[in-house]
Each structure stands twice: as structure tokens, then as C-alpha cells.
Amino acid sequence: MKEYKNRNLITIFTKGDIFSKISYIVCGASNMRHGQIIKGLLFLCLEISYIFFMITKGAGMLQALTTLGDNLQGMQFNEEIGIYEMHAGDNSMLILLYGVVALVISLSFIAVWYFSIVSGEAARKRAAEGKKNRGFIEDVKSLANENVRYLLLAIPVIGLLVFTVMPLIYMILMAFTNYDQEHQPPGNLFDWVGIKNFITLLSTGDRLSSTFWPVFGWTLIWCIFATFTCYFGGIILAMIINSKGIRFKKVWRTIFIFTMAIPSFISLRVVATMLGEKGIFNVLLQKWGFTQTALPFLSNANWARVSVILVNVWIGVPVTMLMVSGILMNIPGELYESAKIDGAGPITIFRKITFPYMWFVTTPYLISNLISNFNNFNTIYFLTGGEPHTLDYYKGAGQTDLLVTWLYKLTKDSNDYNLAATIGIIIFVISAIFTLVTFDGSGSLKNEEGFQ
Amino acid sequence: MKKNVIGLNLKYLDYAVCGVFLMAISVFLPYAALSDGRKNLISVMIDLIRSANGHALNLMVYLTVAASFVSFVFGVISFNAASVRVVKAWQAVQAFATAFWTFLLFASKTILESAGIAGEFMNKQLSFGFWIALIVSYTSLVLIMRMTKTNVGYIILTILGVIWMFPILWILLTALRAEQGYYVGYFIPKKLTLQNFANLFSNNSVIPFKKWWLNTFIVATASCVINTLIILATSFTLSRTRFAGRKAFMNVLMIIGLFPGFMSLIAVYNILKGLGLNQSLLALIVVGAAGAAMGYHVTKGFFDTIPKAIDEAAIIDGATRLQIFSHITLPLSKPIIVYTVLGSFLASWSDYIFPSMLFGDKQSSYTVAVGLYWLTDFRRIDKYYTQFAAGAVIVAVPIVILFIWLQRYYVEGLSGSVKG
């Protein structure tokens, strides 16, 4: 029999032998036929347990997803004893969660099913070519060699599935429900509402959208300022420390690295207490005669926004400095020598040599920094907690809140999970578009094997 | 035409001498507008000497005046006979003069008020004599440094260094402060003590800090080991082996990474509840390990730089992929292993969001991050501020030491991954 190319689900079915076709229904049939008994049995066991799961629980779980529960918790008259009884209603949240679990299990099974068919077909092909198929023990041994990926990636993949992918699907689905304060299980049910949340959040007029847009605007301003102040500050600092004639370079670097080494929750909390109305900054400024009354570092919206950016400089500049130091040393010295001979001043040298080189090397870093600042939870949350509050905003949101900190507050304080999920999806879309646009032009992802 | 001196750049000499001359002159110019009219620094100095209750800071005024004149004298000497030694000495004196003038900007209020010369003094009452002196002193210092070919960056680094260390110094001093309370009207404590540290660890303390510290240490150590292994394994597979679906897998990881991480925490919480793991430290470790693979980028970038020929040679010699991983790749990757270990230790050491959501009110399970944040709540801050500071120092010190010690690896690990 002539072997075919392009092995896929359709060709295997049409071009394979009868056992290949049986494998579509009875997983592992082809493996068992061609000498891989244990492997085939394993596939079969997985299939049987999946079917068992679906019959006993899974189907019900998936089916309940469509309604998210109908029975409200409440009192019901029990005719036998003649009194009203508390009767537990459906818990929409658990229904949604179980539904997602069943969904993920089903998807995993489809992956196993596909894998078993391909594996069975490979076994058939080897048998047809007259080669001996690997036994189970040899298969296990191959885990240390050409199949090492199954061994090394198994735990990470399972971990990601259970604690990242599954929760993520759950939260994405939640964005399309009305799971807010007024629909809290178990006392209440929530239901699918389509894209209503997106519309209320994005369209103008509503109180929510008049909170969303200002918060979004500030997030963008923050993201740009926070990234570029730290970036240029770090470059300048690194250039000063690395310039000729500065002695004790290591000592200087260590002084600045202190802020980087101290966990940010500590340094930010400390600075937050220092910036308070009775904090040491205000005390000293008054004592030194710069001001008579306390300055509203964190209590006035505009002051707070500037303070947050400045404190971020304090935290972030050393990070860039440390990173850039290595790159600066890689710039060929001859470039500087010849520039000096040609009479270029320090500013021209920076503009024409240092900066273009730096820009070229650090673009990926800059991009990822922009995204991480867009989602910079720590700085804002530990420093201001999003405050100062304003009556113009939907409750909880403050004037230094970023989208992420607002999201966190919506989950933790006001239990508006649907809104939080909606904001999460919006953040994702923005980051994804930004990443796609920028990384498309950057070579660092494409030249993966450039160094090998 | 002046003679040349080896090691000096005499181009700036004239300007520098003018500068220090101006600075010396401005001692006689109005220093501050006081209740009885504008006064120069000399007459303020005389008033200070006369006044009965001397303040330690008065010395600052005397030193400023002295340094300004001495610097002027040095200027005159070097104008006539410049030598490297004299100019170097001049530079040192001028540096002191500049520092003293800067200090006066901060100390004037205290000095003038405690001597009874001024009632309510504000810095805007400082007169043009002072501002000229301040600006000129910096300019002259720069000029003299130009002359001795010293890098002017020292001035910037010193000022920035002071700013950068200020909050760190403050938290250290607060941790050692005997006077309790959040609000104190001074920077340096009146009395130093170690009691704050002792209180944190005493058994009858309200704050279970010992427990918090132990919790964090257990979680951080376990996570650090497990996460590092997972990150290394993932990066190795993605960097050193090729298989169908590898690119897709990386893309999926990237897409997942673009979602804000804690968006799904509430679901994670429910899953943990289902597994019976809620409110336990194990949950922190498990969840941390489950997401660890997402941080493969830097490590993979480093592995990418190891030449492929080494692997191929090993395969010809009969090594399995697993042996390549453990016997070739890992020994070559010390910087990145240190970087990963440090990174995962730090991450779990200072993680706040998830533990705070996980533990809620169960204080005995808090990690230091949650605990210390809880202490700075406005209801508790006044009572526990010094203990919070002590706690912060205890938490930060090991990490700072670790970080400074391993700094080299950190830079190497990063620069291995940064490519154009």
C-alpha cells in the first residue's frame, strides 16, 4: 500500500485501514492492533472514564450553563409537616464554575482523542513499513530523550490549565452575565445578559461610562509618563555613573539599587506614610520654611497624580539604570572617539550615538514596560489606593485609580464581578492590539535563533 | 597669555575666580528680610554670637562665611600661581562652601527663629544675596571641577544619592525610634532603641509578626525552588527542542499573559475551595507554581544564546535530552539560574494581592506583605508605626543583602536575554 502525505483527521479516516477508522470511536484500537497494547488500553481507559464522567455529571453541568439556574432560594410550603421550609436554590456561580470545568475536561479529552488517532495511525504506518513498534517501556524511556517535552511540560501545562486557563474562561464568561452586587449567589441568581456590560461601560451617558473614560485616560497618561520618565532617567543615570572619571562606580550603583532591592510593597507603603498630611515630608517642609500649611501630596487629585509619577521614578529609574549599564558598555568605544575628534559635544554624541543604539536594543524592553505600567497595580495601590475619591465616579473608584486597580476594587470591595471581568477583557484587548502592532516591527521575536 | 599647568585646564580659571569673588561679596549682600530690615550674613552672624541661647546649627552660618572667604583666598592664590595641589584644595573648600550654602536653605528658619532674630521665618524672606551666593557657589564648583578635569557627575550623583537614600534612612531611623507614634516633628529620633524589634517578636505582642515572617519564609522558599524548576524546564523545552505546536504554545502563553493576572483570582479562590485548599499556605505555593511557566521569557532568551553545536555534539555522544538539560545547559547557565531563583523568591516574598484575597481576616496566615499593609491602615498606623518600620527593616534587610551580593548575576542574566 502506498503511503500518503498530509496526515490529518480526514486523510487518516479515508486512507487508513479499518482499525484507523475504529479508532475514531474506540480510542487506541489501532495502537492495540499494531502491538502497542498498553498504550492503546490507556487511551481506551481515558475514553471510558470521560464517557462515564459525562453521563454521570458532565452533561448536566454543561446543560445547566445555558440557564445558569432557575430555582431561586426561598421558602416553600412543605405539606407533609405543614410548615414553610428554607429550600436551597440554584447557585449560579457554582453552576458557571462547574460548567467551565466540564468544558475544559471536554476540550482536554478532544486533545487526547486527536492524539490517540494520530498515534494509532503512526503505529499502523510503522507496521506497514515492516518496522517494529515501540513497546510501552521504550515509550517511557523516550520521555527522557526525543519526547522530553511531555515530561518537562506536563506539570506546567496542567498547572496552567487548572489555575490559569480555567479561571480565565470562567471570568471571561462572567463578563457576559449580570453577576453584580444585586445578583449575589446563593441568595440570588444571575443570568446571561450578552454584551450589555460592554455597552454600559463604554457608551456615554451612564455613570459607569463617565467613570470608565476618565480612569482610562489617566491610565494612558500614567502609562506613558511612568514608562518614559523611568526610561530616560535610567539612561541618564547609567551614563553618568558609567562616564569616565567617576570613581567607586559600584558604590554609586549600590546606593541606587537599594530602592530596587527593597520589596516594593514596603518602600511604597513607607513613602505613602511619608507623604501623608502629617508625614515627614510635610513636617520637614514646614520646618525648613518652604511652606506654612501641609501640602496635599496625596489628597488633591493633581498633586497625587504628580506624586505617584515621581515616586515611580524613584522606584523605576534604578531598574532601567541597572539594565542599561550593561548595554552602555557594549557600545563600541571607537564611535565616541571619532565623534569627539570630529568635534561633537556631549549632547550631539547622546543624540547621534548613544540614544539610537540604546533605542535599537531596548525597544522590546520598552514595549513590555509600557504594558506592565498600563497594569501597574502595585505602585498605585500601595501608594494612594486610588484615592482621592470623587463623587463624580462610580463608587469606589478614585482619581488616581488605573483600570487594574479599579478592577481589583470592583472584585474585592463592591463584588461587581461582571464589571471587573468586562474591564479585564478591555485591558486584554488594548494590550493585545498594542503588542501586535509594536512587536510586529521589532526583530527580537523573529530572530529567536540568531545566536545559536 | 597664562602659562600652562599639566593636569589643569586653565581656560576656566578666570571665571572660577570671578565666581568665588562674587560668592564672597554676597556674604555682605542682604541675606534675609527680617523684621528690622534686610540683613547680610555677617550681621546675622554677629547677632547669633551675641544671642544667649545658641543653637548647634549656628555653626552652619559661621562655617558658610568661613568657607566662602577661604575659597576666595584659594582663588586668589591660584590666580597668581596655579598648581594642581592648590586647585585640588580649592575644589575641596569650594565643595564644602557649596554644601554649607545649600544647608542654609534648609536650616535658616531654625537658626533664625531659635536665636530670636526672626519671629515667623519663611524661605521666601531669604534675600537676593543668598540666592546669588547659592547659584554662584554651584557654578564656581562646576568651573573648578572642569579645571581639575573632575567629572561634574559627582555633584548630580551626590544630590540624587541623598534624595534616593532619604526614605530609606527615614525608615531605618523610625525603626530605631524610642518615641512612638506616626507624627513626630523631627527627622532624627531623640532617643534610639531596639525595643521596636523586640516588641515585634515578643510572645505577648498583638501582632503575630513571628508567624507572618515564618509563613512568608516557608512560602517563598518552597515557591522559589518549585518555580525555578518549572521555569527552567519550560524554557529548556521551548528553547532547545523543536516540536509541532511549540510556536502555538508560546503564543497561547503570551495571550494568557496579556490578561490582568488577578482578574481571575475569584475563580482561583473557588477552585481552591473545591480542592479544600482555601486559607492555607499550600494554596499560595500551588497557585504560584501553576503560573510559573508564564515567566519563561528571560530564561528562554538566555538558553537561546547557548550554541546549538554543543547539544548536537552531546547527542552524537549518546546523551539523552534530559542529560543535556542537567549536564550541559544548566551548568552553563549559572547567571540565569541565580536570576530566576532571586526573581521567584522576591516575587513570592512580596506578593500582596493573592494572599490578601485568600486569607481575608485570618491574621495568623498572613504573609509579611499582607501583615505590614494591614498595620499601615489609618486605624492602626499611629499605634504601630515604629513597629511597622521595624518589620519593614527586618523584611528588607535579607533581600537587600541577597540582591547586592547577587547583583552581578542579575545584570548578566538580563543582558544575556537582551538582543537587538
Side-chain angles (χ1 to χ4, degrees):
Chain A
M1 187 168 112
K2 202 166 175 290
E3 282 305 326
Y4 56 94
K5 282 174 188 160
N6 287 336
R7 196 191 299 160
N8 62 37
L9 268 184
I10 298 164
T11 52
I12 293 174
F13 193 79
T14 50
K15 307 261 175 74
D17 65 3
I18 180 72
F19 284 98
S20 307
K21 293 185 172 88
I22 293 176
S23 298
Y24 278 71
I25 300 162
V26 183
C27 288
S30 190
N31 289 89
M32 283 185 269
R33 166 72 182 76
H34 298 287
Q36 298 182 315
I37 306 286
I38 300 183
K39 198 174 181 183
L41 280 177
L42 273 177
F43 284 136
L44 194 61
C45 283
L46 280 173
E47 187 185 8
I48 291 169
S49 43
Y50 173 71
I51 292 172
F52 178 75
F53 164 77
M54 280 313 271
I55 290 172
T56 52
K57 286 190 176 157
M61 286 175 175
L62 283 179
Q63 213 243 319
L65 260 187
T66 52
T67 60
L68 291 178
D70 305 311
N71 306 322
L72 199 62
Q73 165 185 315
M75 299 304 219
Q76 215 172 40
F77 190 71
N78 187 332
E79 291 184 1
E80 272 176 40
I81 4 180
I83 50 165
Y84 279 97
E85 259 185 349
M86 189 68 182
H87 110 105
D90 290 336
N91 187 332
S92 305
M93 189 204 57
L94 289 180
I95 289 175
L96 186 59
L97 188 63
Y98 291 147
V100 171
V101 172
L103 206 66
V104 169
I105 290 177
S106 302
L107 288 175
S108 315
F109 174 72
I110 290 175
V112 169
W113 174 75
Y114 177 71
F115 183 71
S116 77
I117 289 171
V118 172
S119 154
E121 182 62 9
R124 185 195 64 78
K125 198 179 148 197
R126 284 178 70 88
E129 285 165 357
K131 293 177 195 157
K132 198 179 173 303
N133 268 311
R134 273 200 305 235
F136 184 68
I137 298 186
E138 282 161 356
D139 266 338
V140 171
K141 272 187 189 159
S142 81
L143 281 182
N145 209 352
E146 64 266 27
N147 283 331
V148 74
R149 58 179 183 276
Y150 297 122
L151 181 73
L152 292 182
L153 288 186
I155 294 174
V157 167
I158 293 172
L160 282 172
L161 266 184
V162 176
F163 287 107
T164 310
V165 175
M166 216 149 76
L168 213 53
I169 297 176
Y170 175 72
M171 277 315 270
I172 291 172
L173 291 178
M174 204 167 267
F176 303 96
T177 68
N178 58 355
Y179 185 8
D180 54 15
Q181 294 163 307
E182 279 139 34
H183 299 87
Q184 292 287 325
N188 234 322
L189 295 172
F190 60 81
D191 206 353
W192 298 110
V193 293
I195 57 164
K196 188 168 151 262
N197 294 322
F198 290 88
I199 293 169
T200 31
L201 208 58
L202 296 176
S203 71
T204 44
D206 193 80
R207 190 174 171 77
L208 268 170
S209 65
S210 63
T211 308
F212 175 80
W213 290 109
V215 170
F216 179 56
W218 158 240
T219 308
L220 284 183
I221 294 172
W222 150 264
C223 168
I224 289 163
F225 272 90
T227 310
F228 285 98
T229 48
C230 289
Y231 182 68
F232 287 110
I235 289 181
I236 291 168
L237 185 61
M239 279 171 59
I240 293 175
I241 293 180
N242 285 325
S243 63
K244 233 189 251 169
I246 295 279
R247 289 167 71 195
F248 311 116
K249 287 189 165 52
K250 216 168 174 189
V251 175
W252 289 114
R253 223 170 275 156
T254 308
I255 287 179
F256 293 99
I257 281 173
F258 258 99
T259 54
M260 191 180 163
I262 298 174
S264 66
F265 74 93
I266 289 183
S267 47
L268 288 168
R269 268 331 276 173
V270 167
V271 175
T273 62
M274 293 173 82
L275 286 171
E277 200 198 332
K278 285 180 171 181
I280 191 68
F281 278 125
N282 268 321
V283 166
L284 288 182
L285 284 180
Q286 286 172 44
K287 212 176 158 198
W288 290 338
F290 284 99
T291 170
Q292 260 165 331
T293 49
L295 298 173
F297 286 117
L298 297 178
S299 46
N300 171 296
N302 290 331
W303 277 82
R305 286 173 178 178
V306 175
S307 312
V308 168
I309 290 174
L310 287 181
V311 175
N312 189 60
V313 166
W314 181 67
I315 300 263
V317 160
V319 184
T320 320
M321 186 268 291
L322 198 59
M323 198 191 111
V324 161
S325 291
I327 301 168
L328 274 178
M329 288 176 219
N330 290 340
I331 302 181
E334 308 94 69
L335 284 180
Y336 289 117
E337 299 291 326
S338 50
K340 263 186 197 152
I341 291 168
D342 291 345
I347 294 176
T348 321
I349 290 181
F350 177 75
R351 262 187 40 223
K352 300 279 179 190
I353 299 175
T354 315
F355 187 68
Y357 188 92
M358 198 72 76
W359 184 258
F360 178 73
V361 180
T362 54
T363 322
Y365 169 76
L366 202 58
I367 294 169
S368 60
N369 247 15
L370 275 169
I371 291 183
S372 67
N373 269 326
F374 192 78
N375 293 321
N376 195 334
F377 178 85
N378 276 10
T379 309
I380 301 293
Y381 192 76
F382 290 132
L383 212 50
T384 64
E387 286 172 27
H389 286 301
T390 166
L391 287 174
D392 300 337
Y393 284 1
Y394 186 78
K395 64 185 175 318
Q399 285 178 307
T400 54
D401 257 328
L402 303 179
L403 285 179
V404 265
T405 52
W406 188 32
L407 184 161
Y408 180 72
K409 285 179 177 176
L410 284 174
T411 346
K412 206 184 173 203
D413 302 337
S414 61
N415 294 339
D416 286 320
Y417 298 112
N418 59 341
L419 294 177
T422 312
I423 294 174
I425 291 176
I426 292 172
I427 291 175
F428 165 75
V429 170
I430 295 166
S431 325
I433 291 173
F434 180 76
T435 315
L436 281 180
V437 170
T438 48
F439 265 110
D440 211 30
S442 144
S444 73
L445 272 189
K446 292 172 194 156
N447 296 334
E448 196 181 8
E449 292 175 40
F451 276 82
Q452 286 178 353
Chain B
M1 194 64 205
K2 246 184 241 90
K3 66 179 166 72
N4 283 321
V5 180
I6 295 167
L8 287 182
N9 191 347
L10 291 179
K11 208 164 68 182
Y12 301 102
L13 180 60
D14 296 348
Y15 297 111
V17 173
C18 283
V20 288
F21 176 66
L22 251 177
M23 183 173 72
I25 289 290
S26 47
V27 172
F28 299 100
L29 293 176
Y31 158 64
L34 301 171
S35 42
D36 46 347
R38 288 164 191 266
K39 275 192 170 181
N40 63 25
L41 198 59
I42 297 289
S43 52
V44 168
M45 188 171 83
I46 293 166
D47 284 353
L48 285 180
I49 295 170
R50 277 202 200 127
S51 75
N53 38 356
H55 194 277
L57 280 176
N58 289 357
L59 196 62
M60 218 41 128
V61 178
Y62 312 147
L63 285 173
T64 314
V65 175
S68 301
F69 285 133
V70 174
S71 175
F72 176 60
V73 172
F74 268 105
V76 174
I77 295 173
S78 19
F79 191 70
N80 293 321
S83 74
V84 176
R85 238 193 220 168
V86 171
V87 178
K88 281 260 163 82
W90 184 20
Q91 177 181 303
V93 172
Q94 182 59 28
F96 276 112
T98 313
F100 291 142
W101 279 108
T102 317
F103 274 128
L104 271 193
L105 180 63
F106 300 106
S108 291
K109 183 180 163 82
T110 319
I111 294 171
L112 293 174
E113 281 181 5
S114 62
I117 302 175
E120 255 308 285
F121 187 80
M122 294 298 294
N123 277 355
K124 58 180 177 233
Q125 285 163 265
L126 287 170
S127 239
F128 62 90
F130 173 78
W131 295 116
I132 290 177
L134 190 65
I135 294 163
V136 165
S137 65
Y138 273 98
T139 332
S140 322
L141 183 58
V142 170
L143 289 170
I144 299 171
M145 287 172 90
R146 281 272 165 84
M147 238 155 70
T148 59
K149 292 173 181 161
T150 313
N151 197 318
V152 186
Y154 281 121
I155 303 177
I156 304 168
L157 285 181
T158 312
I159 296 173
L160 287 181
V162 170
I163 297 174
W164 247 257
M165 292 310 277
F166 183 82
I168 295 162
L169 207 61
W170 165 250
I171 204 66
L172 265 176
L173 289 175
T174 310
L176 294 170
R177 193 172 72 198
E179 310 91 69
Q180 299 292 309
Y182 167 50
Y183 171 76
V184 280
Y186 42 85
F187 188 72
I188 295 162
K190 297 221 155 68
K191 211 169 149 250
L192 295 177
T193 177
L194 286 174
Q195 195 56 42
N196 295 322
F197 293 95
N199 280 348
L200 270 184
F201 285 99
S202 76
N203 283 327
N204 47 15
S205 161
V206 192
I207 316 162
F209 188 79
K210 217 193 303 185
K211 192 93 203 327
W212 293 349
W213 201 90
L214 209 64
N215 287 343
T216 320
F217 188 75
I218 293 168
V219 172
T221 316
S223 301
C224 154
V225 173
I226 299 170
N227 292 8
T228 307
L229 287 178
I230 287 181
I231 292 176
L232 289 175
T234 313
S235 318
F236 174 80
T237 323
L238 292 178
S239 165
R240 312 306 287 181
T241 62
R242 292 288 179 271
F243 53 92
R246 188 184 69 101
K247 277 263 156 79
F249 183 67
M250 293 201 297
N251 287 340
V252 169
L253 283 191
M254 192 177 82
I255 291 171
I256 295 173
L258 288 175
F259 281 97
F262 47 86
M263 172 177 142
S264 49
L265 279 189
I266 190 76
V268 173
Y269 182 81
N270 283 319
I271 293 171
L272 286 172
K273 216 170 169 180
L275 296 174
L277 277 177
N278 58 330
Q279 300 217 332
S280 82
L281 292 178
L282 191 60
L284 278 185
I285 299 170
V286 168
V287 173
M294 313 262 293
Y296 74 93
H297 285 101
V298 178
T299 321
K300 175 180 174 288
F302 190 94
F303 286 164
D304 281 346
T305 62
I306 300 174
K308 207 155 202 169
I310 300 180
D311 289 20
E312 280 155 9
I315 291 174
I316 291 170
D317 288 347
T320 63
R321 295 294 197 294
L322 209 57
Q323 282 168 332
I324 294 175
F325 179 49
S326 59
H327 286 73
I328 295 173
T329 313
L330 287 189
L332 281 174
S333 315
K334 200 173 159 201
I336 202 65
I337 295 174
V338 175
Y339 173 87
T340 317
V341 168
L342 196 61
S344 21
F345 189 81
L346 274 180
S348 55
W349 186 262
S350 47
D351 186 22
Y352 170 80
I353 310 171
F354 187 54
S356 83
M357 199 171 231
L358 189 65
F359 296 133
D361 293 332
K362 197 183 166 205
Q363 278 172 38
S364 63
S365 295
Y366 278 5
T367 58
V368 280
V370 187
L372 288 179
Y373 187 86
W374 180 78
L375 279 183
T376 56
D377 184 278
F378 70 96
R379 277 160 293 185
R380 304 181 193 89
I381 189 165
D382 201 44
K383 195 167 173 208
Y384 294 117
Y385 193 59
T386 50
Q387 293 189 33
F388 158 73
V393 170
I394 290 175
V395 173
V397 162
I399 297 198
V400 171
I401 292 171
L402 210 65
F403 203 89
I404 289 171
W405 178 40
L406 299 172
Q407 201 195 109
R408 188 167 61 87
Y409 295 108
Y410 198 86
V411 177
E412 279 173 22
L414 271 180
S415 52
S417 75
V418 175
K419 303 175 305 202

